[in-house]
Amino acid sequence: KAGVTQTPRYLIKTRGQQVTLSCSPISGHRSVSWYQQTPGQGLQFLFEYFSETQRNKGNFPGRFSGRQFSNSRSEMNVSTLELGDSALYLCASSLDTGINEKLFFGSGTQLSVL
Amino acid sequence: DQQVKQNSPSLSVQEGRISILNCDYTNSMFDYFLWYKKYPAEGPTFLISISSIKDKNEDGRFTVFLNKSAKHLSLHIVPSQPGDSAVYFCAASHYGGSQGNLIFGKGTKLSVKP
């Protein structure tokens, strides 16, 4: 079974631009969560989608948005990029949305904002 | 306010010895705890979990201990191997929650020296 696939692997953008990151979950997984990882803050929850509906949202500004498609694939978008948005963005999928469901993470998209 | 704290950013251990990684939490509602391991350039992978009805859970070389009164959990790796060198994240939630309720610590980088 293929794992969680995130594209692109690396991305360089400049301040003010927008970016879209893509995540393909493991086949059969219906829940997709997004996390931001920075050296100083660790893993911070962005949002969770289940059956195309946003279930939870973390404490991030409205510039961060996401969506999930009917095939469970998910995208996240960051508009008006700031230097502080430079981070590793991780997507994780799970069969269901319960906390006892293991999260399977992709390798992430490393975003650098110049 | 950091609800899940991993106070040691790094830990160095000799191969064959025990590695002890610590995690403290502040929210008394947390009753489900997990450890994830992350290698460079890869996403985190699930390692082991424990619910508050237990005080110990074991899986091969990995054991997690939970001290509810102290709001403290620890991960023991015995014996430590060079392949265990990675960043370890502690995470906590309440059992009825969803993936969006999972709170991660900032991680501890373990280095196992041959």
Side-chain angles (χ1 to χ4, degrees):
Chain A
K1 219 178 203 183
V4 178
T5 304
Q6 289 188 247
T7 55
R9 188 74 181 87
Y10 301 95
L11 208 47
I12 299 174
K13 291 285 187 179
T14 55
R15 277 182 301 173
Q17 286 187 308
Q18 71 143 27
V19 67
T20 299
L21 312 181
S22 180
C23 172
S24 293
I26 291 173
S27 177
H29 284 196
R30 296 186 297 166
S31 174
V32 174
S33 300
W34 288 88
Y35 292 84
Q36 182 195 64
Q37 186 191 1
T38 57
Q41 296 299 321
L43 279 165
Q44 292 193 290
F45 171 74
L46 280 155
F47 23 67
E48 177 197 5
Y49 287 89
F50 181 78
S51 293
E52 301 178 67
T53 301
Q54 187 178 87
R55 288 281 306 247
N56 284 290
K57 190 175 193 306
N59 191 23
F60 278 82
R63 301 185 295 107
F64 291 80
S65 63
R67 59 178 175 168
Q68 186 181 33
F69 302 97
S70 58
N71 61 357
S72 293
R73 192 177 70 84
S74 178
E75 289 181 346
M76 69 162 277
N77 184 277
V78 188
S79 62
T80 321
L81 283 166
E82 301 177 0
L83 295 178
D85 297 333
S86 295
L88 178 67
Y89 289 88
L90 291 160
C91 165
S93 75
S94 56
L95 274 169
D96 210 321
T97 188
I99 198 63
N100 58 319
E101 297 285 345
K102 283 183 202 175
L103 286 173
F104 293 84
F105 283 86
S107 298
T109 294
Q110 184 67 54
L111 173 65
S112 297
V113 182
L114 306 177
Chain B
D1 177 37
Q2 218 182 323
Q3 298 186 65
V4 178
K5 299 177 188 178
Q6 294 179 257
N7 292 318
S8 299
S10 63
L11 175 68
S12 184
V13 169
Q14 206 66 32
E15 180 180 6
R17 306 294 291 267
I18 183 171
S19 294
I20 300 176
L21 295 97
N22 294 304
C23 178
D24 296 296
Y25 60 97
T26 58
N27 190 335
S28 56
M29 298 297 291
F30 287 156
D31 56 9
Y32 190 66
F33 307 89
L34 308 92
W35 286 92
Y36 279 82
K37 177 170 77 172
K38 185 181 184 298
Y39 292 118
E42 294 182 16
T45 54
F46 170 79
L47 196 55
I48 193 168
S49 63
I50 188 167
S51 71
S52 60
I53 61 172
K54 292 184 168 184
D55 53 19
K56 175 183 170 181
N57 190 25
E58 204 169 341
D59 184 1
R61 297 185 297 112
F62 302 89
T63 303
V64 56
F65 295 92
L66 176 62
N67 182 333
K68 291 184 287 290
S69 60
K71 294 193 182 69
H72 176 84
L73 65 155
S74 60
L75 174 69
H76 292 212
I77 306 173
V78 185
S80 302
Q81 298 173 355
D84 297 327
S85 297
V87 177
Y88 289 79
F89 291 98
C90 167
S93 182
H94 61 92
Y95 193 76
S98 69
Q99 301 292 357
N101 302 122
L102 196 58
I103 307 294
F104 283 87
K106 293 185 179 182
T108 296
K109 183 176 182 179
L110 173 66
S111 299
V112 181
K113 309 293 185 187

